[in-house]
Amino acid sequence: MLILLSVILFLLVLLVVMQVTGWSVTSRQEPPEQFIREFRREMAGQRDETIRNLQAIKSEIESLFSDGIDEKIDPLVKPKFPIIKNSNSLQYNQK
């Protein structure tokens, strides 16, 4: 209990010293131009990364469609329907 009280008291004294000296205010002040420049640079980097990811996804999807999905979908698209040659037998179209 005594240790907790001493820690709280130490932090309180540290807070008062920081307010009196103005340390917290001077350390946070940066020129707005520098902040804006850094923010724009970060946003440009994020945008470039997003564009690269989207292009990679697009190329993957295109390669999937060109490599094998057309061949796998082709039998599904052509329906197998019965061809009636005579009334006694049914044959199925296998084209």
Side-chain angles (χ1 to χ4, degrees):
M1 182 71 178
L2 184 61
I3 295 172
L4 182 62
L5 187 59
S6 63
V7 168
I8 292 173
L9 186 62
F10 173 73
L11 290 174
L12 185 62
V13 169
L14 185 65
L15 244 168
V16 170
V17 168
M18 286 174 58
Q19 288 296 323
V20 169
T21 61
W23 177 79
S24 63
V25 176
T26 57
S27 66
R28 285 187 287 161
Q29 289 179 346
E30 292 182 2
E33 296 84 18
Q34 181 181 359
F35 174 75
I36 292 171
R37 208 174 316 122
E38 290 175 6
F39 181 73
R40 286 182 179 163
R41 185 178 302 125
E42 181 68 27
M43 292 303 292
Q46 292 290 330
R47 185 173 50 239
D48 291 340
E49 185 178 342
T50 303
I51 289 172
R52 273 182 278 161
N53 288 337
L54 288 174
Q55 288 173 346
I57 291 170
K58 178 186 172 192
S59 66
E60 284 293 322
I61 291 173
E62 287 174 347
S63 69
L64 283 175
F65 274 109
S66 65
D67 288 346
I69 292 183
D70 290 334
E71 296 169 2
K72 292 178 183 176
I73 291 178
D74 192 34
L76 298 175
V77 173
K78 293 182 180 177
K80 295 180 181 179
F81 53 89
I83 298 174
I84 302 173
K85 289 193 173 185
N86 59 29
S87 61
N88 294 335
S89 66
L90 291 178
Q91 293 180 349
Y92 289 92
N93 186 6
Q94 299 293 330
K95 293 183 181 178

